[in-house]
């Protein structure tokens, strides 16, 4: 196995969407929960290769025909990202995915979310304007690739004069929380329990 980490591109969007679905249920596959399997990625992955203020890196396995097998993505300016998405991203999805189409609760939740997207807690923005998401296919986890992708992200963010980054995690995903704690993330003061951040 030879893994390469490179900058994410807009053409990676389908792969990011797939990985997001395969890890969307607290780190496990959410395929059975959705008729519209693209929905998790439209929130947590695809915007980060399409909208302003975004950045990302992907893991590519050259033994699987350069397949993308993991990613770390985010925004350098969360409030600007939220503002742009509220005008240009969520309304189009709300128009395309009507809640009346949903037969499964998870699909309905995402379709309603497009109509009322949450915004980041002020405590997180006070910690850093930058946020991130990271997902790696299960067979590539626990091999150090998460640390390596995070190192690429930190190097990039430092170059943008940023000194920290935060994330939100599914409180059910104990494996992810353990990983974040191991690499230096701690709870963001004043934010909900599922928000963690790291200074650098």
């Amino acid at each position: 196995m030879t893994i390469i980490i490179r900058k994410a591109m807009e053409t990676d969007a389908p792969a990011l969407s797939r990985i997001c679905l395969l890890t969307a249920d607290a780190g496990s596959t959410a395929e059975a929960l959705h008729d519209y399997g693209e929905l998790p990625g439209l929130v947590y992955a695809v915007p980060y290769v399409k909208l302003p203020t975004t950045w990302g890196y992907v893991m590519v396995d050259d033994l699987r025909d350069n397949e993308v097998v993991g990613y770390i993505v985010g925004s350098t300016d969360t409030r600007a990202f939220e503002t742009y998405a509220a005008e240009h991203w969520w309304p189009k999805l709300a128009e395309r995915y009507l809640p009346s189409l949903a037969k499964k609760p998870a699909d309905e939740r995402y379709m309603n979310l497009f109509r009322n997207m949450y915004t980041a807690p002020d405590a997180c923005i006070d910690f850093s304007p930058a946020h991130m998401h990271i997902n790696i296919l299960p067979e590539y986890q626990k091999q150090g690739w998460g640390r390596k992708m995070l190192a690429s992200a930190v190097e990039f963010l430092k170059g943008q004069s940023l000194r920290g980054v935060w994330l939100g995690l599914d409180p059910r995903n104990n494996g992810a929380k353990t990983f974040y704690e191991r690499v230096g993330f701690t709870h963001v003061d004043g934010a909900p329990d599922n928000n963690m951040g790291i200074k650098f």
Side-chain angles (χ1 to χ4, degrees):
M1 179 193 308
T2 303
I3 301 293
I4 297 165
I5 296 175
R6 62 161 172 80
K7 283 196 169 184
M9 302 179 290
E10 188 170 355
T11 52
D12 294 321
L16 302 190
S17 180
R18 174 179 162 272
I19 294 167
C20 192
L21 176 65
L22 294 176
T23 56
D25 186 20
S28 300
T29 181
E31 291 170 288
L33 302 179
H34 292 278
D35 291 324
Y36 298 85
E38 68 274 23
L39 295 182
L42 288 171
V43 175
Y44 298 114
V46 176
Y48 297 93
V49 290
K50 290 184 177 287
L51 305 189
T53 80
T54 58
W55 55 270
Y57 292 87
V58 294
M59 291 168 50
V60 176
D61 187 345
D62 69 349
L63 296 183
R64 286 172 66 163
D65 197 26
N66 291 321
E67 179 184 347
V68 174
V69 295
Y71 64 81
I72 184 168
V73 296
S75 167
T76 56
D77 186 337
T78 299
R79 289 290 185 241
F81 172 84
E82 290 172 344
T83 299
Y84 187 92
E87 186 173 346
H88 300 285
W89 186 252
W90 309 127
K92 292 177 184 177
L93 296 176
E95 190 176 329
R96 187 185 315 163
Y97 295 102
L98 301 175
S100 59
L101 298 172
K103 294 185 175 69
K104 294 184 175 179
D107 286 331
E108 186 176 11
R109 280 197 302 274
Y110 277 96
M111 290 171 179
N112 284 323
L113 194 59
F114 295 150
R115 286 158 176 74
N116 187 26
M117 182 55 63
Y118 57 82
T119 55
D122 288 337
C124 289
I125 303 302
D126 290 342
F127 181 87
S128 173
H131 76 271
M132 57 164 271
H133 303 280
I134 183 170
N135 273 310
I136 300 173
L137 290 177
E139 59 266 39
Y140 293 86
Q141 294 176 11
K142 299 182 180 176
Q143 298 172 43
W145 296 114
R147 284 179 182 269
K148 290 176 181 175
M149 282 204 298
L150 181 60
S152 295
V154 167
E155 184 178 354
F156 168 78
L157 292 170
K158 283 182 176 178
Q160 302 296 306
S161 300
L162 291 160
R163 293 295 173 262
V165 66
W166 58 270
L167 53 81
L169 72 157
D170 188 326
R172 301 173 300 154
N173 193 339
N174 292 322
K177 185 176 182 183
T178 298
F179 165 74
Y180 295 131
E181 290 174 339
R182 192 174 294 140
V183 298
F185 280 76
T186 57
H187 174 248
V188 175
D189 286 343
D193 288 344
N194 66 318
N195 289 122
M196 301 179 75
I198 188 171
K199 293 286 189 181
F200 38 76

